[in-house]
Structures are given as structure tokens and as C-alpha cells.
Amino acid sequence: MKYLYSPINLSDMMRYILLICLLVVFSSESMGFQTNLEAIDTLLNNSENVEEKVSKPTLEGSIKRAQDYTILLGKLSVKLGNELDTLTILEDLPIAERLIEVVEGRLENRDQGINIRYLSELDNLLNNIRSQVAVSERRITARTEELISVRTGLDSMRQDGLMKLNLKDPDILPEYQTALAQLRNRISRADSILNAQRVLTAGYQTRVSNMMIRVTEISSALDNERRRAERALLSRDINFLWQPKSYESASNLSEVFMDSLRLNEVILKRYLKSHLGVIVLIFIVFVVVAIWVRNMVLKIKAEKEFAKIIIDRAHYIPKYPVLSVVVMILPFVPFFFTNPTISFTTLLLWIDVVVVTLLLWSGFPKGLFQTWLGFVFIFFVYTVSNLYRDVNYSERWYLLVLSVAGIFLAFRILKFKRNNPEMLPYLITILVKLFIGLQSFSILANIFGRFNLSKLLGVAAALSFSQAIGLYLFVQIVMEIIYLQIEVRKTNENDFTSYIDFHGIQTRVKRTLYGFVSLIWIYYFLDNLSLLDLFMDEGFSFLATERNLFNTKFTYGNILVFFVIVYVASILANNIAYFATIKDQQQGSLREKRLGSSILLIRLGVLAAGFILAIGASGIGFDKIAIVLGALTLGISFGLQTIVNNLVSGVILAFEKPIQIGDAIEVGGRSGTVKDVGIRSSKIQSYDGSEIIIPNGDLLSQHLINWTLSDKRRRVELLIGVSYRSDVDLVTSLIKKRLERDDIMKAPEPRVYLQNFADSAIEFRVLFWVENFDIWVILRDEVMRGIFSDFNTNGVEIPFPQRDLNIKNFPWLKGESIKSIPEVREESEPQDNSDIQGNEA
């Protein structure tokens, strides 16, 4: 750009004018001029003896291409400026290389056995190193591809003929010549930078590739070592307990502890660093849930009239809201991390056990809490021993003592359970017996020289028992949260939550939660026994193996997925129907706002969606389902007509809505309130408290009386008889006066009719309407009591049937006469009694 401001002489000006005129002439085809571009191309000269066959660019084209190449070179220079992040790579790779050397050295040292649990730890460490190296590998690969694209761009520019041509006259277009020279120099410098970057990247690529190869080889060696350790698990590795020692006891446990502590510290720091984002996310969730729980408790204390009663029903949340949230979140934390290390899971277990101990402090009796503290001590010793890198047979005696002490504490819990059956759940008994069984096998394995097996069983017993207690408290805390949330939402008697039966929800939710935490505990239990990987591999292999049945291919995994999704859909359908029914109870007086029998359609819709999803997710295919449906149709034709009839009748009931949940009906001589409209049958709550199960087909085929189909009004009819001596007008006025009540409808107007002249009485028919069907029995009782009281006050007699019996004689009794009443009275009483006894005999 410096040439733009340099002085221009007369000859240069003439050259510029001539060049401009030539450009105008050559570019004016619209004015009819014909030209030959070779006249301008002769200004260009091949500086490197280019072959004649190479086409020479025009001056204008070369200027345009030089401009494009300058822009392209700028973009390539930007890419070259994005150097490889060697700082991060140099920070991670040396540590990874040292850890790989540690693992290699430990595998090569055959003098000391590796703890079977620690083999998994080393494998997790290798996976972490592999993941970290893979990140560096991806960065290097991305940089390599970037450099390749730069190289391609530079090669295309260097191979262009423009780079080999120049102007014959160095005084023509000095700006262009300078720019072209600068372009060539920049290409040359970029090429030098590119080569340096390629060499640097190739060096790191070689280093990372070698590390990946070493990690793969070590991983294979660890797999072999693990299989060898698993095969030797049941084999005797030390002497029997009554025999002389077969191992050296010179090893110092404190040194083993410190070595393992340092290595676990490195592993834990690397693992936490690589999962920092997940840790932050879990912490945010914890803070949000803790604030929500705390505000819920404060709201109950501030707004509820019976706050103390509500709070006293919850044992953990009001007193320890933060600790309760910790117990609620911790069981799920390991599932958010990939390949969690033993040190990480042990840290989570320590937090869980400490928090559980604090929660049990105020709720357990003193003796039981002391027993739990004994378990906590055994737990901590086992977890520390589980972190040891090498097998140390010096642990044999204190592990044996721990097993015996654990069994003693377990029997104390069983004794407490027998004396206080209501304080501990039944599941505790099962867990304690399992703990005793594992510790008993641990003692036997220790006695008979199976040290590794003994330690594995002891660790699994301690860890599994503590995890089970934590999961049990998790269920209790979740139930307390549900209860407190229901109480918070209760704003008035008509609120939706006021109709929720907490005990009903508790039964449903508890059953689901216990099933859920049982699966989590089984997962932990298998992991504690170091059988999780084996179980998962064998299980997936069994489920994924393709099988043939009648030329049809399937896998057990597809079948399992199908039934699991259908089962989950059925649970959702039942719970949706349950809460929809509760919502209907809130709208009990407004029939048009209730879902009623439409709940059946919701259930069928959820089940149908689950069924279709199960077919798609399992990969079974609709063609195979069509075969099953065909077989089902055949079954219907033979013996399932009644079931299908009831199912179709239920769908008809849902669409036509002749009955709704909450309606008062009579069918087949049975009366009551509709409680549920199911897929096959419906439930009616009779007025005596019993539940009547009526098939849906009977609701359509039999005469059905629905007292609340259009509204809840009901006409009440009374038949009242008075004696013939009564004043009819007075009786009518007394009855009408008694019907002047606010809860008796004025339209239709109450009516009193003289119904009939009966044998013993004059009968009146009383008709009146009530607004609510639910109170008609109570209202009828009050009206009849009032009428009876008014009749007594005004001397109106309510007669009872009377008959006059005239007996002339007994023709079949000869020689006997009928005595009159006075004659009978004259007879003595003993004689009457003897006659009566004789007749009775």
C-alpha cells in the first residue's frame, strides 16, 4: 500500500492511461469492437520455463485470483493460528503415563496378590485414563484434519500458474507485482508454519497412540488377572486356621494403608475432576430440593391451625430437612457417574452412613442405637480394608473378630424385634438374617483358608446392610414428603387434596417405592460381591441371544422389554384412574364436570399406548402380534365371549355414560353408589358397606335405575294412616305444616292426598322433593318424626289393625263344650297350669 502515496512521473502516467484504454477496448464487446486477448497476455512472462501447453491466465484473471488467494490465505492463517492446546495435553499426559507405569509395575509384580476388588478399581482407573487420552486424541485428530485442509489450500495455490508468472516490464503495475510477491512470501511462511505444526501434532499423535496401545494391553492383562482371581476365589490361598502360618506376617498394615490411601487419593481426585459438571448439577438439585422441603415445613408451621399435630406425624423432615434430602438423593448419585471408582462409592457410603446415624439418633431407643453404632464401626473397618491395594493376610484375625462381633450385634437386633415387633419393619428381620448368613460363610471361609472369599463376603455383608438401612430411610422420607405436601395443598374442604386418602396413596406409593429400592439394593449387592459385571454380561448375553421357535426368531430381551413396558403402562393406568376418581369426588355435586366412566377410556388409552410402545421398543413386530391376535380371536370364539362382552360393554358405558362414578343406582335387586367402572366389571358400594362386583354386561342387559343420572333430586313418598274418627282437614293441615322446611323443595310443591279408605284407617299419600339424593333418608326420618309428634299433640290417632273372632264350636271334639270367659276365670290357677303342662306334653 506504500506505492499509493509515492510520486508518479509523466512516463508512468502515460503507461497507466495506455493500459486503461486497452482494458476499455478489450472489454467493450457491446460496442462492436473485436479484440484478441493475447495482446495483453504478452505482458506476462513465464519465470520458470513453463511448458507451452500450460494455459496462460489473463491479467485481469490473475489480479482476481491473486485477490481470492489473499483472502483464502488469510483464512488459512487463522486456522494455523489456532494452535494445538499443548498445555492441557502436557498437563494430563504425564500423569496418565505415570499411572499407567504404576499399573504395569503392579501387574508385573507377582510376589504379592492384588485384591480382587482392587482389580475393578484399576480397571476403572484405566477407563478414566482411556477417556482422558481419548479427549486428547480427538483434539489431535481435529487439529490434524485442520492442518490437512490448510495443506490442501496451500498446495492448490502453489500449483496455480499464477505463482510462476510475472510481468515483463517491472515498471507496469508495481502495486500488483508487490502484492503478488507478498502473496508468494506469505504462502512460503505459511508453509513453514504448517510443517512445524504438522511435526508437533504428529509427535503428540504418536505419543497418544502409544498410550492407547498400552492402555489396551493393560486392560487385557487386567481382564486375565480378574478371571484368574475369580477362578481362584473358592480355592484355598492360605493355611487352615489350626495349621501353622503359610504367609509372612512382616507386612505392616499401616504402610499398606498409607500406600493405598495415596493411590486412592490420586484416583479420586482424577475421577472428581473428570466429572465436575455432574457434581455441580447434583449439588444444584440438592440445594433446590432442600430449599423446597424447608419452605414446605415453614409454611405448615405458619399457616396450618393444627401445625403441631401435622409436624409430629413426620419424624425426619421437620427436624432434619437437609439431612433428609441427603438421604433422599444419595442412593441415585452413583447412577449419574460412569464407572464409579471404589474410592468414590466408599466416600458416598461414608456420607450416607453418617447422615443415617444422625437421623436415627433421636428416633432409636438407647440400646438399639448403641447396637447400630457397633454396626457403623464394623462398616468403617470393612470399607477401609476394601480400599487396600494388595492382599494382606495379616487382616485375617481382625476380620474374623469383626465377623463374630457382627453376628452378635445382629442377634441383638433380632431379640429387640421380638420384644418390640411394632418398632422395626419386617424387612429388617430379613436383612439381619442375610447379614448373619454372609458373615457365617465369611467365618467358615476364613477358617478353611479362603481368605479372599472371606473378606469379600464380610465386606459385602457390611456394605449391603448399611445400604439397605439407607434405602429404607429413603422410603420413609419420601412418604413424609408426600404427606406434608398434601397437607400444604389443603386450603379448604373443597380442595382436591382434601379428598385424597393418604393411607390409600401410602399403600400404592410404598409398594412401588419398595420395589424400586429393591432393584437398587440388588444392584449394590451384586456389586459388593464383585458379581455385577459377570451378572450383567451373562444376563445381557442370555437376553440378547437370538432363538428360534416355529421358524420365528426372537430374544428373551425383546420379550422382557415388552412385558416391562406393558407392566409400567398398567401401573400408570391404575394410578391415573385412582387420582381421577379422587378428582371426581371433589366434583360430587356437579355430574357434568366429572370424568366418571370416561376414566375407563383413559385407562384403555394408556394401556393401548403402552402396548403399541412395547411392540415398537421390543422389536417384536406387528406381524407377530397379528398372529397372537388371531389366536386370541379363535379363543374368543370358543370360551372368551363373556369376557369380551364385558369389555365391549365397559367401552359402551364409557361412551354412553348411563352411569358415572358416584351415581346412586339399582340393578338386579342391588342398590348402592358406583365406585369404579373397570375394564371387565364395575364396583358398587352398597349402603350396608359391602362392595358389589357387577359385570359390565349386566349393567347393559338388566334394568338399570340411576337416581342421579340427570340431577340429584329425589321424590319422597309417605303413606300415613289415621283412624276413621280423625278430622281429615286437621290431618292435612298438620302434614302440610310439617313439610314447610327449607330443605324441602318448593317446586315441585309438596302434595298431600287422601289416598284410600282402608280396612282400619284412612290413608294419606304425602309427596315432596329433596334437592340432594344423599339426604333423603335423613329428611324422611325427620318429617315422619315431626308428623307423629304433631298427631300425638292434636289427638290424631294412628290405628293398628283389629279383628273380631267369633268361635261357635269345634265339631271334631265330641262331648266337650266351649266354656265362656267367666267360666274359665272361675277355674283355679294350678288346674290351669297342669292343663297347660299336659297339653304341652
Side-chain angles (χ1 to χ4, degrees):
M1 299 298 296
K2 63 182 181 179
Y3 295 103
L4 295 177
Y5 302 97
S6 60
I8 301 176
N9 54 29
L10 184 60
S11 61
D12 291 337
M13 186 177 297
M14 293 299 294
R15 291 190 184 95
Y16 290 147
I17 294 173
L18 177 61
L19 181 59
I20 292 172
C21 293
L22 290 173
L23 292 175
V24 171
V25 171
F26 293 143
S27 61
S28 301
E29 295 180 358
S30 61
M31 298 178 65
F33 295 101
Q34 301 294 328
T35 183
N36 185 2
L37 294 181
E38 290 296 331
I40 290 184
D41 293 339
T42 56
L43 297 175
L44 300 175
N45 185 27
N46 189 346
S47 61
E48 297 183 4
N49 299 322
V50 181
E51 297 180 0
E52 295 297 332
K53 295 182 179 179
V54 177
S55 60
K56 297 179 181 180
T58 63
L59 180 60
E60 297 82 353
S62 63
I63 295 174
K64 181 65 172 62
R65 284 219 302 275
Q67 180 183 358
D68 294 340
Y69 284 155
T70 302
I71 297 173
L72 177 60
L73 186 60
K75 295 179 179 179
L76 296 179
S77 298
V78 172
K79 290 185 178 180
L80 286 175
N82 299 330
E83 296 182 356
L84 185 65
D85 188 8
T86 56
L87 182 62
T88 304
I89 296 176
L90 287 174
E91 180 183 0
D92 295 337
L93 287 184
I95 300 176
E97 288 174 343
R98 288 197 298 270
L99 290 175
I100 289 175
E101 292 175 358
V102 171
V103 177
E104 283 180 332
R106 186 61 196 86
L107 288 176
E108 292 175 357
N109 185 10
R110 295 289 182 176
D111 297 335
Q112 187 72 24
I114 304 179
N115 187 352
I116 187 171
R117 291 281 296 170
Y118 215 83
L119 289 172
S120 300
E121 185 77 342
L122 294 178
D123 191 36
N124 287 335
L125 176 60
L126 284 180
N127 290 330
N128 182 263
I129 294 174
R130 183 185 287 108
S131 300
Q132 185 176 357
V133 175
V135 173
S136 300
E137 188 178 32
R138 286 194 295 270
R139 291 174 181 171
I140 294 172
T141 301
R143 182 57 179 170
T144 302
E145 294 176 353
E146 196 173 41
L147 293 178
I148 290 174
S149 65
V150 172
R151 180 184 176 184
T152 303
L154 292 177
D155 289 343
S156 64
M157 285 188 289
R158 278 198 304 266
Q159 294 172 3
D160 194 293
L162 178 64
M163 300 295 106
K164 302 176 183 180
L165 299 175
N166 57 14
L167 293 172
K168 290 181 177 181
D169 189 350
D171 295 330
I172 297 179
L173 296 178
E175 296 87 352
Y176 167 71
Q177 297 188 64
T178 303
L180 190 61
Q182 291 178 351
L183 177 61
R184 291 168 180 166
N185 292 333
R186 291 180 63 187
I187 292 175
S188 179
R189 288 197 301 271
D191 190 59
S192 300
I193 297 173
L194 172 64
N195 291 332
Q197 291 286 329
R198 289 175 61 191
V199 171
L200 178 65
T201 306
Y204 283 109
Q205 188 175 19
T206 303
R207 191 173 176 182
V208 168
S209 178
N210 291 334
M211 287 189 63
M212 291 297 289
I213 294 173
R214 293 174 64 188
V215 168
T216 304
E217 293 176 350
I218 296 174
S219 181
S220 300
L222 277 177
D223 290 338
N224 295 331
E225 188 71 19
R226 185 188 297 108
R227 285 192 293 268
R228 185 194 64 79
E230 290 173 352
R231 288 193 299 267
L233 192 61
L234 299 178
S235 302
R236 187 164 68 94
D237 39 24
I238 56 176
N239 59 285
F240 294 133
L241 193 63
W242 59 85
Q243 292 178 340
K245 290 182 180 180
S246 62
Y247 57 91
E248 296 181 2
S249 58
S251 58
N252 193 339
L253 280 179
S254 61
E255 294 179 359
V256 174
F257 172 76
M258 293 306 298
D259 291 341
S260 300
L261 181 63
R262 285 190 291 268
L263 183 57
N264 280 282
E265 182 182 4
V266 173
I267 295 173
L268 181 60
K269 286 182 178 179
R270 287 179 56 83
Y271 191 79
L272 294 179
K273 181 180 178 182
S274 62
H275 294 81
L276 187 60
V278 180
I279 294 174
V280 172
L281 176 62
I282 293 175
F283 180 76
I284 293 174
V285 172
F286 166 76
V287 171
V288 171
V289 176
I291 294 175
W292 170 62
V293 170
R294 182 175 178 275
N295 291 339
M296 181 172 57
V297 176
L298 293 177
K299 189 173 183 180
I300 291 176
K301 291 180 179 180
E303 299 179 0
K304 297 300 176 180
E305 181 179 0
F306 302 100
K308 187 177 185 305
I309 298 176
I310 297 173
I311 293 299
D312 289 342
R313 290 176 181 174
H315 301 289
Y316 304 110
I317 294 288
K319 297 180 181 177
Y320 313 101
V322 176
L323 297 181
S324 299
V325 175
V326 172
V327 173
M328 190 172 63
I329 291 179
L330 272 181
F332 305 98
V333 171
F335 296 98
F336 289 92
F337 293 84
T338 57
N339 297 321
T341 62
I342 297 177
S343 54
F344 179 70
T345 55
T346 301
L347 177 63
L348 294 179
L349 280 173
W350 286 350
I351 297 174
D352 190 31
V353 169
V354 170
V355 173
V356 167
T357 302
L358 294 175
L359 290 177
L360 296 179
W361 190 357
S362 60
F364 268 23
K366 183 177 179 180
L368 185 60
F369 184 72
Q370 291 175 350
T371 303
W372 169 253
L373 289 180
F375 271 111
V376 172
F377 173 77
I378 294 174
F379 163 81
F380 275 106
V381 175
Y382 269 120
T383 52
V384 171
S385 176
N386 196 39
L387 293 175
Y388 290 171
R389 179 185 65 184
D390 299 328
V391 176
N392 195 296
Y393 298 121
S394 300
E395 302 177 277
R396 180 178 193 177
W397 286 101
Y398 80 73
L399 290 180
L400 185 63
V401 172
L402 286 177
S403 297
V404 175
I407 292 176
F408 171 74
L409 295 175
F411 276 110
R412 287 192 60 179
I413 293 180
L414 291 179
K415 182 179 179 181
F416 182 86
K417 172 65 176 174
R418 286 194 299 269
N419 297 333
N420 305 274
E422 300 299 328
M423 288 198 64
L424 295 177
Y426 177 73
L427 291 175
I428 296 296
T429 303
I430 300 175
L431 293 172
V432 171
K433 290 181 179 179
L434 177 62
F435 178 85
I436 293 174
L438 290 175
Q439 291 290 9
S440 300
F441 281 114
S442 176
I443 293 174
L444 291 175
N446 198 335
I447 292 174
F448 289 99
R450 275 71 175 175
F451 174 78
N452 287 319
L453 178 62
S454 172
K455 182 176 180 178
L456 182 66
L457 293 175
V459 170
L463 268 62
S464 300
F465 183 77
S466 62
Q467 288 166 337
I469 299 300
L471 290 172
Y472 171 75
L473 284 183
F474 163 80
V475 174
Q476 303 305 313
I477 289 171
V478 170
M479 296 308 303
E480 288 186 6
I481 289 178
I482 294 175
Y483 166 70
L484 294 176
Q485 183 63 22
I486 290 175
E487 293 296 333
V488 167
R489 293 293 303 275
K490 284 184 178 179
T491 55
N492 54 67
E493 294 183 355
N494 294 323
D495 188 71
F496 169 64
T497 53
S498 301
Y499 292 86
I500 293 180
D501 180 11
F502 174 71
H503 296 289
I505 294 178
Q506 188 180 37
T507 302
R508 288 174 172 268
V509 175
K510 258 192 175 182
R511 185 167 55 246
T512 303
L513 286 178
Y514 276 132
F516 181 65
V517 299
S518 297
L519 293 177
I520 296 178
W521 183 83
I522 291 173
Y523 175 89
Y524 288 151
F525 181 69
L526 293 174
D527 186 49
N528 295 332
L529 289 174
S530 298
L531 296 176
L532 181 62
D533 292 337
L534 177 63
F535 181 82
M536 297 292 285
D537 293 340
E538 295 295 330
F540 282 121
S541 176
F542 174 77
L543 294 175
T545 302
E546 197 172 68
R547 307 173 193 277
N548 294 321
L549 180 64
F550 302 116
N551 296 326
T552 300
K553 294 182 179 180
F554 70 97
T555 63
Y556 289 128
N558 294 339
I559 297 175
L560 179 63
V561 169
F562 178 83
F563 283 106
V564 167
I565 294 178
V566 171
Y567 176 71
V568 172
S570 64
I571 292 178
L572 289 176
N574 291 333
N575 283 283
I576 290 173
Y578 175 75
F579 287 102
T581 302
I582 295 176
K583 189 67 176 178
D584 274 0
Q585 294 178 10
Q586 183 186 11
Q587 306 291 343
S589 60
L590 302 173
R591 191 177 191 274
E592 64 278 2
K593 293 186 178 181
R594 287 181 284 161
L595 291 173
S597 55
S598 298
I599 296 174
L600 174 60
L601 296 179
I602 298 175
R603 294 178 64 181
L604 290 176
V606 174
L607 290 175
F611 183 75
I612 295 173
L613 180 62
I615 294 174
S618 62
I620 294 177
F622 287 93
D623 53 343
K624 299 180 179 63
I625 297 299
I627 298 175
V628 176
L629 293 177
L632 183 62
T633 304
L634 183 62
I636 292 173
S637 63
F638 282 101
L640 301 178
Q641 299 96 330
T642 304
I643 296 177
V644 175
N645 176 42
N646 292 327
L647 174 62
V648 175
S649 298
V651 176
I652 295 175
L653 290 174
F655 278 105
E656 292 188 355
K657 298 183 179 180
I659 62 172
Q660 292 276 54
I661 294 176
D663 284 352
I665 67 171
E666 292 183 19
V667 58
R670 301 282 188 172
S671 61
T673 304
V674 179
K675 186 177 181 181
D676 178 47
V677 179
I679 296 176
R680 188 196 64 85
S681 60
S682 299
K683 293 180 182 178
I684 297 178
Q685 183 80 47
S686 65
Y687 298 118
D688 58 6
S690 62
E691 291 187 357
I692 306 170
I693 310 299
I694 298 180
N696 291 332
D698 293 347
L699 294 175
L700 291 180
S701 61
Q702 298 184 13
H703 294 289
L704 175 67
I705 301 174
N706 191 337
W707 291 100
T708 56
L709 179 61
S710 300
D711 52 55
K712 300 197 73 174
R713 297 186 301 170
R714 168 158 181 158
R715 192 189 71 175
V716 182
E717 180 178 357
L718 303 177
L719 289 177
I720 301 174
V722 297
S723 67
Y724 278 94
R725 295 188 296 272
S726 301
D727 185 347
V728 175
D729 295 332
L730 176 62
V731 171
T732 302
S733 63
L734 290 175
I735 295 175
K736 286 186 175 181
K737 185 178 180 180
R738 183 55 62 177
L739 296 179
E740 295 176 355
R741 297 168 55 106
D742 294 335
D743 43 12
I744 293 179
M745 297 176 61
K746 301 301 184 291
E749 182 182 358
R751 299 287 185 178
V752 180
Y753 299 101
L754 198 156
Q755 175 77 8
N756 189 23
F757 294 106
D759 294 339
S760 303
I762 301 174
E763 294 180 347
F764 287 86
R765 186 184 184 192
V766 181
L767 303 175
F768 60 91
W769 288 81
V770 296
E771 186 70 33
N772 194 336
F773 176 86
D774 298 330
I775 64 172
W776 77 274
V777 175
I778 299 174
L779 195 57
R780 183 184 64 177
D781 171 76
E782 294 177 354
V783 169
M784 293 182 69
R785 287 176 181 272
I787 291 174
F788 182 78
S789 177
D790 292 344
F791 282 3
N792 286 336
T793 302
N794 292 275
V796 177
E797 180 183 357
I798 300 177
F800 51 87
Q802 298 181 6
R803 295 288 186 273
D804 292 333
L805 183 63
N806 297 320
I807 302 175
K808 294 181 178 180
N809 55 19
F810 294 95
W812 58 86
L813 296 177
K814 296 182 178 180
E816 294 185 6
S817 60
I818 302 299
K819 297 179 180 179
S820 63
I821 293 178
E823 291 176 345
V824 173
R825 290 176 178 173
E826 290 178 357
E827 295 180 355
S828 61
E829 184 175 355
Q831 184 179 359
D832 292 340
N833 293 336
S834 62
D835 291 340
I836 293 173
Q837 293 175 359
N839 292 333
E840 290 178 353

